[in-house]
Amino acid sequence: MATHRFDPNFTDNVVNAMGDNVNPRFRKLMSSLIRHVHDFARENELTVDEWMAGVQLLNWAGQMSDNKRNEGQLVCDVIGLESLVDEITFKLAEEAADAPTATAILGPFFRADTPFRDNGETIVRTPPKDGKGEITFMKGQVVDYVTKKPLVGATVEVWQASTNGLYEQQDPEQEEFNLRGKFRTDEQGYYSFYCLRPTPYPVPDDGPAGKLLKMMDRHPFRPAHIHIIALYDGYKPLTTQIFDRNDPYLTNDSVFAVKDSLIVDFVERKDDPKAGLELTYDVRLVPDESKVNGA
């Protein structure tokens, strides 16, 4: 029995309009989405003006998005949706010391065309003009989570913002692909490169995501982090971020992506004129059973 004063059959009519040939998973998702959206509209007695404001926000996000920035994804980030979906999808990644490396959101500034670089090379192509950049030597080993054996030839892709809070595609003064690089692990499964100690920055406020944050009276800052994607044939791909333990925004990340197991320590690096800091971060990948079983 309906608990509202509107047409009690309307939502069922919309759900039941789907045909017999609909994919079962798609039917389940769309039925649930329609019911939740309709319930939201009825519960709040949504007005035409409010609905249209939401439509315009979605349109705005689409108009701002391209292959260098995904504003729709950023809108999902600031309401915590991407981090929630990440948790649901990768519940296996817990905080135990010997667990697989935990996942984190991709973020809106990933680029699919990042070039490969040699191990030991620097991704700092445009040094920060503010003088705040602390050069760091980052290294680690990619291993099989089950056997602990090194994975030779694994791909480790990294990207980070500069100290002015901008990724290279946001900043015309940065060289293209500055603070980005792909690396292949060596015969012992190790990768290495020079980067910057990351610094906190605000998410862009020139689009719908920034407008939402302001309307919700929330700060826009993300804690200092480095993005990582690790890939190896026959293993589940890993997308994650690692966070500086000393960052003040660890407990109130504007996109809710911080996990305890992803917090890292930068330590002093000695006898290296290129870098004063060092970071070691190992990656544990999980075999993809669906590929092993031919599924």
Side-chain angles (χ1 to χ4, degrees):
M1 183 175 180
T3 59
H4 53 78
R5 59 194 178 93
F6 305 103
D7 181 352
N9 300 313
F10 181 76
T11 297
D12 284 340
N13 290 340
V14 175
V15 171
N16 293 335
M18 284 186 282
D20 295 337
N21 297 320
V22 176
N23 175 279
R25 175 62 176 172
F26 183 72
R27 183 189 299 276
K28 177 179 175 64
L29 292 173
M30 285 305 302
S31 297
S32 179
L33 176 63
I34 291 167
R35 293 189 187 281
H36 280 288
V37 169
H38 285 201
D39 285 344
F40 167 81
R42 284 187 289 256
E43 177 184 337
N44 294 281
E45 298 196 358
L46 196 68
T47 68
V48 170
D49 287 343
E50 290 168 338
W51 163 73
M52 183 52 67
V55 171
Q56 290 172 342
L57 184 142
L58 293 176
N59 290 343
W60 185 13
Q63 291 158 0
M64 290 191 70
S65 298
D66 55 26
N67 63 352
K68 294 184 178 181
R69 172 175 175 173
N70 191 329
E71 185 68 16
Q73 189 171 358
L74 188 56
V75 170
C76 291
D77 289 348
V78 300
I79 63 172
L81 181 58
E82 187 177 3
S83 288
L84 175 59
V85 171
D86 174 75
E87 180 188 8
I88 293 169
T89 305
F90 298 101
K91 187 60 179 175
L92 175 64
E94 300 294 347
E95 297 172 357
D98 62 345
T101 300
T103 59
I105 63 174
L106 178 68
F109 295 107
F110 168 74
R111 291 189 63 169
D113 53 351
T114 296
F116 276 95
R117 306 190 190 281
D118 294 330
N119 279 320
E121 196 174 345
T122 183
I123 62 172
V124 185
R125 302 290 165 153
T126 304
K129 293 184 177 180
D130 57 15
K132 297 179 180 179
E134 295 183 84
I135 302 297
T136 299
F137 184 72
M138 181 171 169
K139 60 186 176 66
Q141 188 179 36
V142 181
V143 301
D144 181 305
Y145 162 62
V146 178
T147 67
K148 306 300 186 290
K149 292 182 178 179
L151 299 180
V152 179
T155 298
V156 177
E157 181 170 356
V158 297
W159 68 102
Q160 63 178 146
S162 191
T163 56
N164 62 359
L166 299 176
Y167 290 87
E168 50 86 16
Q169 68 264 57
Q170 299 174 276
D171 185 357
E173 295 190 3
Q174 292 185 46
E175 179 181 322
E176 188 169 25
F177 302 115
N178 181 48
L179 299 174
R180 295 178 184 271
K182 289 181 182 177
F183 301 86
R184 288 190 177 92
T185 57
D186 64 17
E187 294 301 316
Q188 287 75 45
Y190 285 98
Y191 70 91
S192 63
F193 58 91
Y194 289 92
C195 62
L196 295 178
R197 183 177 193 167
T199 50
Y201 65 84
V203 298
D205 63 357
D206 59 341
K211 183 174 182 178
L212 276 177
L213 285 172
K214 291 176 183 177
M215 293 176 70
M216 293 187 290
D217 192 26
R218 286 174 42 198
H219 77 76
F221 279 88
R222 295 227 53 214
H225 62 278
I226 298 174
H227 293 268
I228 299 175
I229 291 179
L231 303 172
Y232 193 73
D233 189 42
Y235 288 74
K236 294 180 180 179
L238 172 75
T239 300
T240 195
Q241 302 176 24
I242 53 176
F243 301 88
D244 189 339
R245 189 178 304 278
N246 294 326
D247 192 277
Y249 294 101
L250 283 180
T251 58
N252 57 354
D253 179 9
S254 63
V255 304
F256 310 98
V258 178
K259 299 175 183 176
D260 288 346
S261 63
L262 298 177
I263 298 173
V264 298
D265 294 292
F266 291 78
V267 299
E268 181 183 1
R269 181 171 174 82
K270 299 179 179 179
D271 302 321
D272 185 347
K274 296 180 181 180
L277 294 173
E278 183 175 295
L279 172 63
T280 300
Y281 192 75
D282 296 333
V283 175
R284 303 179 183 91
L285 295 184
V286 178
D288 189 338
E289 297 298 332
S290 67
K291 292 186 179 181
V292 173
N293 297 326

